[in-house]
């Protein structure tokens, strides 16, 4: 945040990592100092040299946010492709920030100012570009506040802090008991019934020396299916101005290429035929049970309509937003042993999350039979032996290397055998902190502002993935060679056909893969004042840190043998790394406000530097031996904070600026030489030499690189924060930022390697006879450069209605917060030109996804007048806006723009704050409890309690109502579809910046005892 307020709630920029702030006395005034994200030196200044946005619980609620996916899609600084729980194909249930549109790994995520384990990455190989900390594993009830540092910070925190820092502070202090629950749904909009439920309990106790806190949280979300939302219901996006992304891989098809003309002839079973007659005709061209749907002379009466029987519409079966659930437990303990001179602390968090997704039914490609060099035997579809009891043809068109005659080009998809491929992903995350800290004033007055901390953290993330409906090549080969109709596999079925249970059991498998990342970390930190200058004390911070990163990936044995269809095959891998780091930081005051010096009311400089030494080891693979590498980094940062004028003159004007050098060490998934296997066709790749036939399946081998070097970045920012004294409550801020990132470590688009074959002669493998491309090796490499810059801006106005002298009508708060991306240039190699990416949707490059120029939100809220029953109201609206930008116009025949997306969220809450009952006074004739003896008709006396007294009792209705908060909200009130994106990989919109939920209502009830 640029200013001292966010959404109208007064806040200090960040909060200490330790729960107790440092208090120092200067000029006879006690000042509360806290550690702000972006520095290790405590400060009492509300506006520092670094641009930081702080989001507390009430700020997050006012954004209309219900979960971490909502948070990232609505933050203006979030751009580009990332991973969140909107994503079905390519998502694993994790939610990882991606500030500035750079890769998610360029954003450092901290928990209480310290690193945590990244996701275990047990699936799809390394996934280095999206390696990061899963913030979905931290429920909102556990969060005190979130700091977003919008600047480089490698001089403070080390590697990864290139695009910024996402610092999540957990709660450590609470008195009482809080119970809460919320429920929401999409059933008032265009989507189906997709219920979202969360419930939590928080209990805390303590005294002036001890704090104990326990929180438990459970979350559950139902799925939204693609068929239930107009924009996602059909993969044929031509009507929207996009591509037809339905698949030609359907049951009952045989592809034949004319050996003379090269024409592709796609033969399809006639409607109504479940399976063709076995061995009845020599080949598909002579079989009347098939029609050539590509033949222009085909009579209209035999043509398939342009519907889902012509092409496979996977959107009819798969979820657009998968189901998910999460369970979390957190405990925190703090104890002052010797006042503030020695404090012990310990925290523990455990979270389990589950993501239940699904993909299209497995298409049978590539071929289960192989050529002697390991490539697929049939370049399209699969090969079926003539001996198969269901083969309708009597003549072979090819012969396997072992002499078996086969029919090639047979297409099949498991639409009835398995339905869809099920993807079930589970994360289990552990975080444990323990340490001691204290103040050093007992050693003398010189050390009265010195603080120290010694601590240890152990963080581990385990990922488990079960993928069902995948084809085993070995099982398929056996079932195709089988001659027994009861157990053989029939790939010639049409739409209505389904294989026997015996055949299904032989061919389809469920894969089990696991991955683990663990991070032990130890640190020592000390800060304080070194000596005094005329303008004030020179403050410092120094520290020493060690962390050991351990990553392992254990795929299913079917994957490690590269023997599946419908799954990414990859090798097992282990990488470990030891990192030692030291850091130093100084804050030097030059002028003091007490001097009243014109033009330099307050001026201070900051200097910081961090050194890190890396030593890493990679395990052996089937191709490369185990390897060891080392490197180190030393990065500085300079900052300035300048208030030129006395705030009494024109208000508070703060000018600030930073220059820093950042770096990003390759992630452990970046370093692994283990390869993962995928396939592309030349509908996706284009051979510049024209030697590769259409529809050929090209194997893509993606690997890491043990010899990668760190990325480096040169960054600067400058800005101003202004609060005029003639408009009380107004704060304006603007910060211009610039990132020059070099030696980018990432795999690139396979097309880039093919287009620059001269730069990668060993990575484009061609058939020695025909020259056709058979394999593309895609290793992680250090690329050249990306330059990104833009402007962050914010305006906050808090209006207290009582200032007009007409009574108190409450407080109004107006907020505008946004980002303008002015430049995003990428140069992939020394022989290439820079490519401008800002203002467009990017595909086929190192950086992908939406990079719009403008993203912002604006809000207006009203808080009821104090000391009245209206004080409990908090009512308002927030508008989220993403501006227009260009679509994937490189591949589109007709260029188009992606329309702007504006959504309206409404939030209203009321907290009951009932006055405490007046103490009962003794009154003659009444007992102390307020009862009275009353003479009954029979002459006896009976003790009677007044009825109204019950409302003040220990379990009266006032006790239950007091401290209760009811919240009603609605996201996307106008039920707006996300803007259509032709270049999007899945579902027709960009899932990183938008969602297809539509109108979503929610109710939340919270009670504090």
């Amino acid at each position: 945040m640029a200013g001292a307020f966010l959404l109208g709630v007064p806040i200090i920029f960040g909060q200490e990592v330790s729960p107790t702030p440092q208090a120092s006395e200067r000029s006879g005034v006690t000042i509360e100092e806290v550690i702000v994200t972006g520095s290790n030196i405590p400060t009492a200044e509300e506006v520092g040299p670094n641009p930081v946005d702080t989001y507390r619980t009430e700020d997050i609620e006012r954004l209309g946010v219900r979960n971490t996916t909502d948070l990232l899609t609505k933050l203006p600084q979030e751009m580009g492709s990332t991973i969140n729980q909107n994503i079905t194909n390519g998502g694993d249930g994790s939610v990882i920030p991606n500030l500035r549109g750079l890769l998610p790994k360029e954003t450092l995520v901290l928990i209480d100012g310290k690193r945590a384990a990244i996701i275990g990455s047990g699936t799809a190989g390394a996934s280095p570009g999206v390696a990061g900390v899963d913030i979905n594993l931290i429920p909102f009830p556990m969060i005190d506040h979130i700091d977003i540092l919008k600047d480089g910070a490698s001089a403070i925190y080390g590697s990864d802090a290139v695009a910024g820092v996402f610092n999540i502070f957990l709660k450590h202090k609470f008195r009482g008991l809080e119970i809460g629950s919320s429920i929401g749904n999409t059933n008032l909009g265009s989507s189906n019934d997709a219920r979202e439920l969360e419930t939590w309990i928080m209990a805390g106790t303590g005294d002036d020396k001890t704090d104990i806190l326990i929180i438990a949280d459970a979350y559950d979300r139902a799925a939204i299916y693609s068929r239930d939302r107009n924009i996602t219901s059909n993969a044929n996006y031509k009507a929207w101005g996009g591509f037809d992304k339905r698949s030609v891989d359907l049951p009952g098809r045989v592809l034949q290429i004319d050996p003379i003309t090269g024409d592709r002839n796609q033969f399809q079973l006639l409607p109504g035929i479940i399976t063709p007659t076995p061995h009845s005709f020599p080949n598909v061209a002579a079989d009347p049970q098939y029609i050539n749907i590509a033949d222009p002379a085909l009579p209209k009466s035999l043509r398939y309509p342009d519907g889902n029987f012509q092409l496979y519409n996977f959107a009819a079966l798969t979820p657009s937003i998968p189901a998910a659930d999460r369970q979390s437990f957190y405990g925190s303990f703090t104890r002052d042993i010797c006042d503030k001179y020695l404090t012990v602390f310990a925290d523990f968090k455990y979270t389990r999350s589950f993501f239940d997704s699904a993909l299209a039914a497995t298409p049978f490609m590539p071929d289960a039979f192989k050529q002697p060099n390991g490539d697929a035997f049939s370049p399209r579809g699969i090969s079926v032996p003539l001996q198969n009891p269901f083969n309708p043809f009597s003549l072979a068109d090819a012969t396997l290397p072992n002499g078996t005659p086969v029919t090639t080009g047979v297409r099949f998809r498991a639409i009835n055998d398995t339905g869809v491929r099920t993807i079930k992903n589970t994360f289990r995350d552990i975080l444990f902190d323990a340490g001691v800290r204290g103040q050093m004033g007992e050693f003398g007055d010189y050390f009265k502002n010195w603080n120290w901390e010694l601590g240890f953290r152990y963080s581990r993330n385990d990922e488990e993935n079960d993928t069902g409906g995948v084809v085993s090549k070995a099982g398929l080969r056996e079932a195709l060679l089988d001659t027994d109709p009861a157990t053989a596999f029939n790939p010639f079925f049409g739409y209505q056909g389904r294989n026997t249970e015996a055949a299904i059991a032989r061919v389809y498998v469920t894969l089990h893969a696991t991955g683990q990342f663990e991070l032990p970390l130890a640190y020592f930190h000390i800060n304080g004042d070194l000596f005094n200058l005329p303008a004030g004390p020179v403050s410092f911070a120094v520290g020493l840190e060690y962390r050991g990163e351990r990553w392992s990936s254990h795929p299913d044995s079917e994957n490690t043998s590269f023997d599946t269809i419908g799954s990414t095959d990859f090798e097992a891998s282990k990488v470990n790394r030891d990192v030692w780091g030291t850091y130093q930081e100084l804050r030097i005051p030059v002028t003091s406000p007490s001097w009243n010096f014109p033009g330099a009311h307050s001026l201070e400089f900051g200097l910081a530097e961090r050194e890190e030494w890396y030593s890493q080891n990679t395990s052996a693979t089937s191709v490369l031996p185990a390897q060891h590498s080392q490197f180190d980094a030393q990065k500085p940062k300079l900052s300035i904070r300048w208030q030129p004028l006395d705030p009494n003159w024109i208000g508070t004007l703060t000018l600030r600026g930073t220059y820093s050098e950042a770096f990003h060490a390759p992630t452990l998934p970046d370093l692994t030489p283990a390869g993962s296997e995928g396939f592309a066709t030349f509908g996706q790749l284009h051979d510049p030499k024209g030697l590769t036939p259409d529809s050929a399946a090209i194997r893509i081998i993606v690997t890491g690189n043990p010899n990668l070097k760190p990325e480096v970045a040169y960054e600067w920012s400058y800005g101003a924060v202004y609060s005029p004294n003639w408009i009380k409550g107004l704060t304006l801020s603007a910060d211009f930022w610039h990132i020059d990132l070099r030696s980018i470590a990432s795999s690139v688009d396979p097309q880039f390697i093919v287009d620059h074959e001269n730069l990668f002669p060993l990575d484009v493998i061609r058939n020695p006879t025909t020259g056709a491309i058979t394999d593309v090796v895609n290793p992680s490499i250090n690329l050249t450069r990306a330059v990104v810059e833009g402007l962050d801006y914010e305006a906050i106005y808090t209006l207290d209605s009582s200032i007009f002298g007409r009574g108190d009508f409450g407080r109004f708060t107006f907020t505008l917060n946004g980002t303008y991306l002015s430049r995003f240039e990428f140069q992939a190699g020394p022989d290439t030109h820079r490519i401008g990416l800002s203002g467009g949707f990017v595909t086929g490059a190192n950086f992908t996804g939406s990079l719009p120029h403008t993203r912002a939100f604006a809000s207006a809220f009203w808080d009821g007048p104090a000391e009245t029953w209206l004080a409990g109201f908090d009512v308002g609206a927030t508008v989220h806006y993403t501006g227009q930008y260009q679509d994937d116009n490189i591949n589109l025949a007709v260029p188009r723009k992606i329309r702007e997306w504006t959504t309206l969220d409404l939030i209203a809450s009321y907290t009951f704050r009932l006055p405490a009952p007046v103490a009962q006074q003794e009154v003659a004739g009444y007992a102390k409890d307020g009862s009275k003896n009353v003479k009954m008709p029979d002459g006896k006396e009976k003790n009677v309690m007044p009825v109204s007294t019950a409302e003040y009792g220990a379990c009266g209705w006032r006790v239950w109502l007091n401290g209760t908060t009811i919240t009603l909200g609605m996201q996307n009130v106008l039920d707006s579809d996300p803007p259509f994106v032709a270049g999007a990989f899945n579902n027709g919109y960009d899932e990183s910046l938008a969602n297809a939920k539509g109108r979503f209502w929610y109710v939340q009830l919270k009670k504090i005892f």
Side-chain angles (χ1 to χ4, degrees):
M1 163 161 305
F5 298 86
L6 179 69
L7 297 179
V9 181
I11 58 177
I12 293 176
F13 276 35
Q15 184 166 325
E16 53 185 343
V17 176
S18 58
T20 304
Q22 171 186 341
S24 63
E25 294 186 4
R26 297 175 184 168
S27 304
V29 179
T30 301
I31 303 172
E32 184 177 285
E33 296 184 335
V34 295
I35 292 181
V36 178
T37 299
S39 175
N40 290 307
I41 300 176
T43 182
E45 301 292 350
E46 292 184 348
V47 177
N50 299 300
V52 180
D53 281 2
T54 297
Y55 294 86
R56 299 190 182 277
T57 301
E58 56 268 30
D59 306 322
I60 294 172
E61 290 179 351
R62 285 183 167 189
L63 281 175
V65 165
R66 305 307 302 164
N67 52 57
T68 52
T69 294
D70 286 349
L71 178 62
L72 292 193
T73 57
K74 294 183 177 184
L75 283 176
Q77 294 76 29
E78 183 79 10
M79 294 185 185
S81 291
T82 186
I83 296 297
N84 61 41
Q85 292 201 338
N86 289 337
I87 298 173
T88 302
N89 196 339
D92 56 9
S94 60
V95 181
I96 303 173
N98 180 13
L99 300 177
R100 308 302 193 198
L102 296 169
L103 294 171
K105 65 179 181 178
E106 313 293 350
T107 299
L108 176 62
V109 176
L110 303 176
I111 300 176
D112 278 340
K114 299 183 284 290
R115 292 175 181 267
I118 66 173
I119 58 175
S121 295
T123 62
S127 302
V130 295
V133 176
D134 180 7
I135 65 173
N136 176 61
L137 301 172
I138 311 172
F140 284 159
M142 296 180 185
I143 296 175
D144 180 78
H145 68 280
I146 299 173
D147 279 357
I148 300 178
L149 173 63
K150 303 175 293 185
D151 196 15
S154 287
I156 307 298
Y157 303 111
S159 176
D160 309 340
V162 176
V165 179
F166 205 95
N167 196 357
I168 300 173
F169 291 88
L170 303 179
K171 294 177 180 176
H172 297 282
K173 187 174 183 178
F174 180 75
R175 298 288 190 273
L177 175 67
E178 177 181 302
I179 299 175
S181 185
S182 67
I183 185 171
N185 214 316
T186 60
N187 55 4
L188 294 182
S190 298
S191 297
N192 68 328
D193 184 5
R195 185 256 315 131
E196 190 170 318
L197 174 68
E198 184 171 14
T199 185
W200 70 92
I201 183 170
M202 176 169 59
T205 187
D207 53 31
D208 58 343
K209 291 187 175 182
T210 306
D211 287 293
I212 301 174
L213 173 64
I214 294 175
I215 303 175
D217 177 272
Y219 170 85
D220 185 86
R221 181 186 75 182
I224 295 177
Y225 284 85
S226 299
R227 60 178 176 267
D228 296 316
R229 195 72 169 153
N230 185 36
I231 191 173
T232 60
S233 62
N234 197 306
N236 183 5
Y237 297 115
K238 286 186 175 181
W240 298 79
F243 307 100
D244 189 347
K245 295 188 176 182
R246 295 172 299 170
S247 173
V248 297
D249 288 302
L250 285 171
R253 285 194 172 176
V254 179
L255 178 65
Q256 185 186 72
I257 297 181
D258 192 299
I260 299 175
T261 64
D263 293 339
R264 299 177 62 192
N265 297 311
Q266 190 80 256
F267 290 89
Q268 173 80 45
L269 271 179
L270 286 169
I273 299 179
I274 296 177
T275 187
T277 305
H279 303 104
S280 54
F281 295 91
N283 54 51
V284 67
D287 193 336
Q289 299 171 102
Y290 288 85
I291 55 174
N292 182 0
I293 59 175
D295 186 358
L298 186 71
K300 289 186 177 181
S301 60
L302 294 179
R303 284 184 181 274
Y304 276 76
D306 184 21
N308 293 332
F309 291 98
Q310 178 76 9
L311 297 169
Y312 174 63
N313 179 32
F314 53 84
L317 302 170
T318 55
S320 169
I321 300 179
D325 63 68
R326 182 192 63 223
Q327 303 82 39
S328 300
F329 174 82
Y330 168 70
S332 177
F333 170 80
T334 307
R335 172 71 177 178
D336 292 338
I337 296 178
C338 299
D339 197 11
K340 299 301 180 183
Y341 300 122
L342 182 62
T343 301
V344 298
F345 62 90
D347 305 317
F348 176 78
K349 183 183 75 72
Y350 171 80
T351 299
R352 172 198 173 273
S353 72
F354 178 70
F355 192 65
D356 190 3
S357 185
L359 301 179
T362 299
F364 279 47
M365 185 187 74
D367 195 0
F369 293 100
K370 298 181 179 180
Q371 300 179 22
N373 66 354
D375 293 336
F377 182 80
S378 176
R380 64 270 174 198
I382 62 173
S383 303
V384 182
L386 284 185
Q387 66 194 57
N388 183 281
F390 305 105
N391 194 326
F393 312 124
S394 57
L395 294 179
D397 60 13
T399 303
L400 296 177
N402 65 1
T404 303
V406 294
T407 298
T408 61
V410 178
R411 295 191 181 274
F412 188 74
R413 189 183 283 269
I415 60 173
N416 292 319
D417 289 355
T418 63
V420 294
R421 281 170 286 177
T422 57
I423 313 290
K424 301 182 183 297
N425 217 76
T426 304
F427 286 107
R428 294 178 176 86
D429 190 80
I430 295 174
L431 185 145
F432 171 74
D433 276 330
V436 292
R437 59 173 172 254
Q439 299 176 2
M440 300 178 64
E442 63 176 341
F443 294 104
D445 287 344
Y446 177 77
F447 298 101
K448 64 181 180 180
N449 293 319
W450 286 41
N451 301 275
W452 63 275
E453 183 170 325
L454 174 67
F456 170 79
R457 165 172 285 185
Y458 177 78
S459 178
R460 190 181 77 202
N461 184 280
D462 294 282
E463 181 176 1
E464 181 178 346
N465 176 271
D466 292 292
T467 304
V470 176
V471 173
S472 165
K473 289 180 182 178
L476 179 60
R477 286 192 294 268
E478 292 177 2
L480 291 175
L481 288 165
D482 195 347
T483 58
D484 184 355
T487 55
F489 189 82
N490 183 1
F492 295 97
F493 271 127
Y495 288 104
Q496 297 83 17
R498 187 175 189 272
N499 276 281
T500 65
E501 293 299 327
I504 289 173
R506 297 175 71 178
V507 172
Y508 301 100
V509 295
T510 296
L511 306 177
H512 180 77
T514 62
Q516 182 185 90
F517 191 100
E518 59 179 343
L519 179 69
L521 180 150
Y523 63 94
F524 175 73
H525 169 85
I526 188 169
N527 66 64
D529 294 340
L530 284 175
F531 54 87
N532 287 321
L533 293 175
V538 174
S539 302
F540 81 101
V542 296
L544 173 68
E545 180 181 298
Y546 164 80
R547 66 181 186 270
E549 302 175 2
R550 310 287 184 261
W551 177 70
S552 60
S553 177
H554 308 282
D556 193 276
S557 58
E558 290 277 354
N559 289 125
T560 57
S561 60
F562 288 76
D563 202 46
T564 70
I565 300 175
S567 171
T568 300
D569 289 327
F570 58 107
E571 296 177 288
S573 180
K574 289 184 179 181
V575 185
N576 62 67
R577 175 158 67 195
D578 295 305
V579 184
W580 289 91
T582 62
Y583 57 87
Q584 313 85 38
E585 186 178 356
L586 284 175
R587 185 176 66 229
I588 305 170
V590 179
T591 64
S592 170
S594 62
W595 297 358
N596 294 320
F597 193 83
H601 179 74
S602 176
L603 176 64
E604 67 180 35
F605 293 96
L607 305 173
E609 185 174 71
R610 186 176 179 111
E611 304 82 18
E612 289 193 339
W613 296 267
Y614 290 77
S615 175
Q616 49 248 334
N617 300 283
T618 59
S619 62
T621 68
S622 59
V623 179
L624 297 176
Q627 297 187 54
H628 172 76
S629 61
Q630 291 181 325
F631 51 78
D632 58 72
Q634 182 179 19
K635 298 300 175 185
K637 182 168 186 175
L638 308 176
S639 64
I640 181 173
R641 178 184 177 275
W642 177 28
Q643 290 182 338
L645 302 174
D646 188 332
N648 293 324
W649 294 2
I650 63 169
T652 303
L653 173 63
T654 303
L655 305 178
R656 60 189 179 187
T658 66
Y659 169 80
S660 64
E661 295 180 8
F663 75 101
H664 171 77
T667 65
L668 300 193
D670 275 322
L671 293 171
T672 176
S676 61
E677 183 185 57
F679 288 86
T681 67
F682 263 82
Q684 300 165 309
L685 290 178
H686 307 281
D687 185 355
K689 298 181 180 181
L691 301 176
T692 306
D694 291 342
S695 78
I698 310 302
R699 186 169 62 164
I700 309 295
I701 305 297
V702 179
T703 71
N705 185 349
N707 298 312
L708 281 176
K709 301 301 180 184
E711 304 169 359
V712 294
Y714 302 90
E715 308 184 42
W716 45 263
S717 68
Y718 58 86
V721 182
Y722 180 49
S723 298
N725 54 14
W726 63 83
I727 306 179
K728 299 296 184 183
L730 175 64
T731 300
L732 305 172
S733 68
D735 289 279
F736 188 84
W737 49 271
H738 172 97
I739 303 172
D740 185 350
L741 181 60
R742 305 179 184 182
S743 298
I744 302 166
S746 178
S747 58
V748 298
D749 188 271
Q751 186 64 55
F752 178 83
I753 295 176
V754 172
D755 290 342
H756 297 82
E757 189 173 348
N758 59 318
L759 297 177
F760 308 97
L762 301 179
D763 295 331
V764 179
I765 302 171
R766 294 180 177 272
N767 185 297
T769 303
T770 64
I773 297 175
T774 58
D775 302 270
V776 176
V777 180
N778 191 359
S780 295
I781 56 178
N782 287 106
L783 301 178
T784 303
R785 192 177 185 185
V787 178
V788 188
E789 60 187 23
L791 176 71
D792 294 324
Y793 53 90
E794 185 176 62
I796 302 287
Y797 180 48
T798 302
L799 175 63
D800 188 346
S801 62
S802 63
I803 65 174
F804 300 108
R806 301 287 184 177
D808 186 357
F809 298 100
R811 185 178 67 176
F812 297 87
T813 304
F814 305 93
T815 304
L816 172 67
N817 185 300
T819 293
Y820 181 79
L821 180 67
S822 60
R823 181 183 181 192
F824 198 127
E825 295 180 348
F826 174 63
Q827 184 178 2
D831 68 335
T832 62
H833 297 287
R834 289 190 188 181
I835 303 171
L837 305 180
S838 59
F841 184 85
V842 184
T843 61
N846 185 62
F847 302 102
T848 61
S850 294
L851 299 172
H853 286 301
T854 301
R855 297 201 76 212
F857 69 82
S859 65
F861 278 83
W862 172 74
D863 294 295
E867 307 301 330
T868 71
W869 68 272
L870 293 172
F873 274 109
D874 185 12
V875 181
T878 301
V879 175
H880 300 273
Y881 175 78
T882 299
Q884 287 187 353
Y885 53 106
Q886 299 293 327
D887 207 330
D888 177 22
N889 291 331
I890 295 176
N891 295 312
L892 284 169
V894 179
R896 65 179 302 273
K897 280 188 175 181
I898 298 166
R899 67 171 174 83
E900 71 282 350
W901 195 42
T902 304
T903 58
L904 170 66
D905 298 341
L906 299 179
I907 306 102
S909 67
Y910 186 80
T911 301
F912 291 89
R913 300 185 179 97
L914 303 182
V918 178
Q920 293 276 336
Q921 302 293 326
E922 292 186 32
V923 180
Y926 288 85
K928 292 182 179 180
D929 61 2
S931 62
K932 181 180 181 181
N933 291 329
V934 179
K935 182 176 287 187
M936 307 302 290
D938 60 3
K940 297 181 180 180
E941 290 188 348
K942 183 178 181 181
N943 188 268
V944 178
M945 178 75 72
V947 174
S948 62
T949 303
E951 66 190 36
Y952 297 102
C955 295
W957 66 267
R958 286 180 177 268
V959 173
W960 287 97
L961 193 58
N962 192 37
T964 299
T965 301
I966 300 174
T967 302
L968 305 176
M970 183 173 288
Q971 297 175 340
N972 195 355
V973 175
L974 302 179
D975 200 28
S976 300
D977 273 329
F980 172 71
V981 181
F985 177 66
N986 198 37
N987 284 322
Y989 73 98
D990 184 2
E991 298 145 317
S992 293
L993 301 188
N995 67 68
K997 287 194 303 185
R999 184 183 295 117
F1000 178 84
W1001 63 265
Y1002 58 90
V1003 179
Q1004 178 176 292
L1005 180 65
K1006 179 176 68 176
K1007 164 66 178 171
I1008 299 178
F1009 295 89

